[in-house]
Amino acid sequence: MQDEMSTAAAGEKDSFAVAATALAAAEDELERSAVGDDSAEDEEEWWKAEGMPWNHKPGRSDYWCMGWIGFLGIFSLAMLPLRGWLLGLDPPILVGLTGSRTGAAATGALASVNQAPHWLWWLLLGSIMSIKLDWVYWWAGKLWGRGMIEVWAGRSERSRRRYDQAERWARKLGWLGVLVAYVPIPLPIMPVVFVLTGASGMRVKWFVALDFVAATVWNLGYLALGWGVGDPIVDALKYYAKIANWVAIVLLVVILAPLFFKSKKKA
C-alpha cells in the first residue's frame, strides 16, 4: 500500500509548484498592467521564464489547465491519509472511491470468502474513479506538447534521466502505452504516456476509453491476486482495521509536518 501511495503522489508536488508559479506570474502581469507599467517587454516575456511548460503566451485554456494540474497535486496529497483510513473501513469502498490497487486486491480476498457482494460493480466504479482526472495530463499534452515533461524532468539530472527513459518507453509503445502505464515500476511512465497521447493528437474520447480499459484490466488482475491469496489477506485486513485510524493520522502528520516547517523557516 505504501508503494501505491508513493506512486500516486509522485510528481504531484512539482506539478502544484509549477501551477503556483505560473499563476503567480500571471497575477504579477495583471498588477503591472493595472498600475500602467511601461515595460512592455517584461510583460510580454514573463511566460518564457524557466520552469514554464508552454512555448507561447498563455491564454485562458493554459491557465485553466495549469490550475487543474495544481489541483491534482493538492488532491493527491489529501488522498494519502484518506486511502489508509478507507482500507480499514471496507475494501470495496476503497477500490470504489479511489480505484486503489490495494483496495482491488483486498476486495478479491474478501470476495473469495463471500464477504464482498457486488464486487464487480465496485471494480467498475473504481476504474471510473481511477481515471477521473487523467484527462488533465492529456490536455496538457494537447496544449503544450512535451512541455510538462520538460518541467518535471528539469529539477535534477537524476530526474531528467528518469523522465527521458520513461518518454523513450512511451514513444516506442505508442497507444499501447496507455495499457502499460499502470505497470508498477519505478518510472513516471503514467503521466508521461498521458501527456504524449495529447501531444500526438489522440482524441480525448479514445484516450478515456483506453484509459478505462487499462484501469479495469489492472484492477481485475489485482482482484484476482487477492482472490488467490484469500484468507491471509482477510486476516491482515481485520488486524489493519484496528489501527487504520492511527495510520491515517501518521500519514497526515508526514504530509503536513514538512509543509509546516518549510513555511516556518521562510517566515
Side-chain angles (χ1 to χ4, degrees), residues 209-229:
L210 278 173
D211 199 18
F212 176 79
V213 170
T216 302
V217 168
W218 279 96
N219 277 339
L220 189 59
Y222 280 99
L223 189 144
L225 179 63
W227 190 302
V229 176

Side-chain angles (χ1 to χ4, degrees), residues 122-204:
W122 283 108
L123 178 72
L124 295 177
L125 176 61
S127 297
I128 295 173
M129 297 304 294
S130 177
I131 71 171
K132 60 187 176 297
L133 293 174
D134 291 349
W135 58 270
V136 177
Y137 292 119
W138 173 90
W139 194 18
K142 185 176 186 299
L143 290 174
W144 311 320
R146 63 181 304 276
M148 203 65 218
I149 300 175
E150 293 179 357
V151 171
W152 289 326
R155 299 296 180 180
S156 67
E157 185 60 32
R158 180 182 177 184
S159 178
R160 180 169 292 278
R161 288 197 301 269
R162 292 177 69 244
Y163 275 96
D164 286 347
Q165 186 176 357
E167 186 173 359
R168 287 195 298 271
W169 278 43
R171 291 191 181 278
K172 287 180 181 179
L173 291 169
W175 65 269
L176 288 175
V178 178
L179 302 177
V180 181
Y182 289 83
V183 176
I185 57 177
L187 281 177
I189 191 167
M190 180 178 286
V192 170
V193 165
F194 293 167
V195 166
L196 291 179
T197 56
S200 67
M202 179 184 291
R203 292 186 178 182
V204 67

